[in-house]
Amino acid sequence: MLALALALQASARAAPESFADLADQVSPAVVNITTSTVVAAPTEGGPIVPEGSPFEDFFNDFGNQGPDGPRRSNALGSGFVISEDGYIVTNNHVIEGADEIEVEFFSGKRLDATLVGTDPKTDIALLKVESPEPLAFVRFGDSNLMRVGDWVMAMGNPLGQGFSVSAGIVSARNRELSGTYDDFIQTDAAINRGNSGGPLFNMSGEVIGVNTAILSPNGGSIGIGFSMASNVVSRVVDQLREFGETRRGWLGVRIQDVTPDVAEAMGLAAAKGALVSDVPDGPAKDAGILPGDLITSFDGAEVTDTRDLVRRVADADVGKAVRVVVLREGKSETLLVTLGRREAAEAEETGTSDAPPAAPVQKDILGLTLSEMTDELASELGLPAGSSGLVVTGIDETSEAYGKGLRSGDVITEAGQQAVASVADLEARIEEAKEAGRKSLLLLIRRGGDPRFVALTVE
């Protein structure tokens, strides 16, 4: 019995005998995408190709029409059909700035495509073609069911070579590259230039990722490719299809992760949750969320870190009333927040100055030279008259404070989650932390209006 169980387990983990049936099944829904863009002619410095040169045809093939006029630039990518009436998913960077978009099907049929909408934050675009007959299409699968080691198959148009299939496994999950909403599946299935926008399939022929990027020192595949997870893509596509744009929820807070030293300074048992560093005008402020609150739950689900919270908020419906649980001064409070729309609130103010102010030295504390705020200092820092806090006018570059990113021109507005307006206030907070047996003190630092919490050792 044990031998049979082990045999079945080994069989389940074995490589597929062939990917041919799967490739035949999904190929009709995978497309090559060609875009065309008119580019202004370079004024100078362009390549000079002598007539008759062996390179003359090469430059002509790529649309070089000489220095006297504009030229047409072509780009290649991949995509896949998600409905019989002609909706097609690809990467935003494949079609960005294109004047013309042409889709080529596995059968060789070509159709012009129109752009329905894009989401640069996830690098997803939705196209539409008009076809006299229903088109073959593929469905999204649940990317959350994929495990490291599962087999996957990529299909697309690598390096302009036309329809091509590669296979591999899921190498890692939940990878971040640079975007706020990144949730990439890493795979060793070969992905090259031109594969962008193509599908990554599970063994049931469902799309569990959109091939987007590779990590490579030479521009070619070295077995580290990234596909945006289908559970992110499918929601974006649904919104683009319905509205032509994305509509993400907006809570209206600035947040940061809870590091172990911040957790210790706050007396927390574990370093998790999302720490609110600022609450501008918006839904959170209207609901009573305050700077220094630790968000531990959103809409009934535990919040592990800032990335987790950002995704949960973005996935929530605009206008939805959600329960947000915060830890405030050691006690849990539940607040009801009606979410706004992120896209309507993305214009943010920037600071006007990060030059160190010229102010008389007041006192050296924790490796910082601090001066109490004056109207003159506030003006130099671009802050409104009447602002309070302690201005960092100097810093010991060997100090812990410097190592944690504090710089001249920063303003300390809170210590131990209490406002500080004088050096005496800060010294009192330091003594209170020591008396409570804490090794560090939590400071709220503002730089150009941008807040963040930093914990400094007080022993």
Side-chain angles (χ1 to χ4, degrees), residues 193-223:
R193 297 179 190 275
N195 275 114
S196 290
L200 187 70
F201 291 105
N202 62 18
M203 293 298 97
S204 298
E206 298 170 324
V207 178
I208 49 85
V210 177
N211 301 323
T212 301
I214 60 173
L215 185 62
S216 172
N218 55 23
S221 174
I222 60 169

Short mmCIF file of all heavy atoms in Angstrom, two decimals, residues 193-223:
data_model
loop_
_atom_site.label_atom_id
_atom_site.label_comp_id
_atom_site.label_asym_id
_atom_site.label_seq_id
_atom_site.Cartn_x
_atom_site.Cartn_y
_atom_site.Cartn_z
N ARG A 193 12.53 38.89 -25.62
CA ARG A 193 11.90 40.06 -26.21
C ARG A 193 10.89 39.59 -27.26
O ARG A 193 11.20 38.73 -28.08
CB ARG A 193 12.94 40.98 -26.86
CG ARG A 193 13.94 41.55 -25.87
CD ARG A 193 14.95 42.43 -26.62
NE ARG A 193 16.07 42.81 -25.76
CZ ARG A 193 16.06 43.83 -24.93
NH1 ARG A 193 14.98 44.59 -24.85
NH2 ARG A 193 17.11 44.11 -24.18
N GLY A 194 9.71 40.17 -27.23
CA GLY A 194 8.66 39.73 -28.14
C GLY A 194 7.65 38.82 -27.46
O GLY A 194 6.52 38.69 -27.91
N ASN A 195 8.07 38.17 -26.35
CA ASN A 195 7.13 37.37 -25.55
C ASN A 195 6.23 38.26 -24.69
O ASN A 195 5.23 37.79 -24.15
CB ASN A 195 7.86 36.40 -24.63
CG ASN A 195 8.23 35.09 -25.30
OD1 ASN A 195 9.39 34.79 -25.49
ND2 ASN A 195 7.22 34.31 -25.66
N SER A 196 6.60 39.53 -24.55
CA SER A 196 5.83 40.43 -23.68
C SER A 196 4.36 40.44 -24.07
O SER A 196 4.01 40.63 -25.23
CB SER A 196 6.39 41.85 -23.77
OG SER A 196 7.64 41.94 -23.16
N GLY A 197 3.50 40.28 -23.07
CA GLY A 197 2.07 40.28 -23.30
C GLY A 197 1.49 38.92 -23.58
O GLY A 197 0.27 38.74 -23.61
N GLY A 198 2.36 37.93 -23.78
CA GLY A 198 1.88 36.57 -24.06
C GLY A 198 1.45 35.85 -22.80
O GLY A 198 1.78 36.25 -21.68
N PRO A 199 0.74 34.75 -22.95
CA PRO A 199 0.20 34.04 -21.79
C PRO A 199 1.17 33.01 -21.21
O PRO A 199 1.98 32.41 -21.92
CB PRO A 199 -1.03 33.33 -22.37
CG PRO A 199 -0.64 33.07 -23.79
CD PRO A 199 0.24 34.20 -24.22
N LEU A 200 1.03 32.80 -19.90
CA LEU A 200 1.67 31.69 -19.21
C LEU A 200 0.54 30.76 -18.77
O LEU A 200 -0.37 31.17 -18.03
CB LEU A 200 2.46 32.20 -18.00
CG LEU A 200 3.32 31.16 -17.27
CD1 LEU A 200 4.52 30.77 -18.15
CD2 LEU A 200 3.80 31.69 -15.92
N PHE A 201 0.58 29.52 -19.25
CA PHE A 201 -0.52 28.58 -19.02
C PHE A 201 -0.19 27.58 -17.92
O PHE A 201 0.97 27.18 -17.75
CB PHE A 201 -0.80 27.78 -20.31
CG PHE A 201 -1.38 28.59 -21.42
CD1 PHE A 201 -0.61 28.96 -22.51
CD2 PHE A 201 -2.72 28.97 -21.40
CE1 PHE A 201 -1.14 29.68 -23.56
CE2 PHE A 201 -3.27 29.69 -22.45
CZ PHE A 201 -2.48 30.06 -23.53
N ASN A 202 -1.24 27.17 -17.19
CA ASN A 202 -1.10 25.97 -16.36
C ASN A 202 -1.39 24.76 -17.24
O ASN A 202 -1.68 24.88 -18.43
CB ASN A 202 -2.00 26.03 -15.12
CG ASN A 202 -3.50 26.09 -15.48
OD1 ASN A 202 -3.91 25.77 -16.60
ND2 ASN A 202 -4.30 26.53 -14.52
N MET A 203 -1.33 23.59 -16.66
CA MET A 203 -1.47 22.38 -17.46
C MET A 203 -2.92 22.10 -17.87
O MET A 203 -3.19 21.16 -18.62
CB MET A 203 -0.90 21.17 -16.71
CG MET A 203 0.61 21.23 -16.52
SD MET A 203 1.56 21.25 -18.09
CE MET A 203 1.85 23.01 -18.32
N SER A 204 -3.85 22.94 -17.42
CA SER A 204 -5.24 22.82 -17.86
C SER A 204 -5.57 23.78 -19.00
O SER A 204 -6.72 23.86 -19.43
CB SER A 204 -6.19 23.08 -16.68
OG SER A 204 -6.00 22.13 -15.66
N GLY A 205 -4.56 24.53 -19.46
CA GLY A 205 -4.78 25.47 -20.54
C GLY A 205 -5.38 26.79 -20.09
O GLY A 205 -5.89 27.55 -20.91
N GLU A 206 -5.30 27.07 -18.78
CA GLU A 206 -5.78 28.34 -18.25
C GLU A 206 -4.62 29.32 -18.12
O GLU A 206 -3.49 28.92 -17.81
CB GLU A 206 -6.42 28.14 -16.87
CG GLU A 206 -7.64 27.24 -16.88
CD GLU A 206 -8.09 26.89 -15.47
OE1 GLU A 206 -7.22 26.72 -14.59
OE2 GLU A 206 -9.31 26.80 -15.26
N VAL A 207 -4.90 30.60 -18.36
CA VAL A 207 -3.86 31.63 -18.24
C VAL A 207 -3.69 31.98 -16.77
O VAL A 207 -4.63 32.45 -16.12
CB VAL A 207 -4.24 32.90 -19.03
CG1 VAL A 207 -3.18 33.97 -18.85
CG2 VAL A 207 -4.41 32.57 -20.51
N ILE A 208 -2.50 31.73 -16.24
CA ILE A 208 -2.25 32.07 -14.83
C ILE A 208 -1.22 33.21 -14.71
O ILE A 208 -0.87 33.62 -13.61
CB ILE A 208 -1.81 30.84 -14.02
CG1 ILE A 208 -0.69 30.05 -14.70
CG2 ILE A 208 -3.01 29.94 -13.80
CD1 ILE A 208 0.69 30.55 -14.44
N GLY A 209 -0.79 33.75 -15.87
CA GLY A 209 0.13 34.88 -15.83
C GLY A 209 0.27 35.52 -17.20
O GLY A 209 0.00 34.88 -18.23
N VAL A 210 0.68 36.79 -17.22
CA VAL A 210 0.98 37.50 -18.46
C VAL A 210 2.47 37.80 -18.47
O VAL A 210 2.98 38.51 -17.60
CB VAL A 210 0.17 38.80 -18.57
CG1 VAL A 210 0.56 39.55 -19.84
CG2 VAL A 210 -1.32 38.51 -18.57
N ASN A 211 3.18 37.23 -19.43
CA ASN A 211 4.63 37.37 -19.50
C ASN A 211 5.01 38.82 -19.71
O ASN A 211 4.58 39.45 -20.68
CB ASN A 211 5.19 36.49 -20.62
CG ASN A 211 4.84 35.03 -20.42
OD1 ASN A 211 4.82 34.53 -19.31
ND2 ASN A 211 4.55 34.34 -21.52
N THR A 212 5.82 39.37 -18.81
CA THR A 212 6.03 40.81 -18.78
C THR A 212 7.50 41.21 -18.82
O THR A 212 7.87 42.18 -19.47
CB THR A 212 5.38 41.42 -17.52
OG1 THR A 212 3.99 41.13 -17.54
CG2 THR A 212 5.59 42.92 -17.43
N ALA A 213 8.37 40.49 -18.12
CA ALA A 213 9.75 40.97 -17.97
C ALA A 213 10.70 39.79 -17.78
O ALA A 213 10.28 38.68 -17.43
CB ALA A 213 9.86 41.91 -16.77
N ILE A 214 11.98 40.06 -18.02
CA ILE A 214 13.01 39.06 -17.74
C ILE A 214 14.14 39.74 -16.97
O ILE A 214 14.31 40.96 -17.04
CB ILE A 214 13.57 38.42 -19.03
CG1 ILE A 214 14.21 39.47 -19.94
CG2 ILE A 214 12.51 37.63 -19.76
CD1 ILE A 214 14.94 38.87 -21.15
N LEU A 215 14.87 38.95 -16.24
CA LEU A 215 16.08 39.41 -15.59
C LEU A 215 17.24 38.81 -16.35
O LEU A 215 17.37 37.58 -16.44
CB LEU A 215 16.11 38.96 -14.12
CG LEU A 215 17.27 39.46 -13.27
CD1 LEU A 215 17.25 40.98 -13.18
CD2 LEU A 215 17.20 38.86 -11.88
N SER A 216 18.06 39.67 -16.97
CA SER A 216 19.10 39.16 -17.85
C SER A 216 20.22 40.18 -18.01
O SER A 216 19.95 41.36 -18.20
CB SER A 216 18.52 38.83 -19.22
OG SER A 216 19.54 38.50 -20.14
N PRO A 217 21.48 39.74 -17.95
CA PRO A 217 22.59 40.66 -18.18
C PRO A 217 22.84 40.93 -19.66
O PRO A 217 23.57 41.86 -20.02
CB PRO A 217 23.78 39.92 -17.56
CG PRO A 217 23.43 38.47 -17.71
CD PRO A 217 21.94 38.40 -17.56
N ASN A 218 22.24 40.12 -20.55
CA ASN A 218 22.54 40.24 -21.98
C ASN A 218 21.32 40.46 -22.84
O ASN A 218 21.43 40.50 -24.07
CB ASN A 218 23.31 39.01 -22.46
CG ASN A 218 22.56 37.71 -22.15
OD1 ASN A 218 21.34 37.73 -21.98
ND2 ASN A 218 23.30 36.61 -22.08
N GLY A 219 20.14 40.57 -22.24
CA GLY A 219 18.92 40.80 -23.01
C GLY A 219 18.22 39.54 -23.45
O GLY A 219 17.10 39.59 -23.96
N GLY A 220 18.86 38.38 -23.26
CA GLY A 220 18.25 37.10 -23.64
C GLY A 220 17.85 36.31 -22.41
O GLY A 220 18.25 36.62 -21.29
N SER A 221 17.07 35.28 -22.62
CA SER A 221 16.58 34.48 -21.50
C SER A 221 17.71 33.72 -20.82
O SER A 221 18.50 33.03 -21.47
CB SER A 221 15.52 33.48 -21.98
OG SER A 221 15.14 32.62 -20.94
N ILE A 222 17.76 33.83 -19.49
CA ILE A 222 18.68 33.02 -18.70
C ILE A 222 17.89 32.22 -17.67
O ILE A 222 18.43 31.75 -16.67
CB ILE A 222 19.75 33.89 -17.99
CG1 ILE A 222 19.09 34.90 -17.06
CG2 ILE A 222 20.66 34.57 -19.00
CD1 ILE A 222 20.09 35.61 -16.13
N GLY A 223 16.57 32.11 -17.93
CA GLY A 223 15.75 31.30 -17.05
C GLY A 223 15.15 32.04 -15.88
O GLY A 223 14.69 31.42 -14.93
#
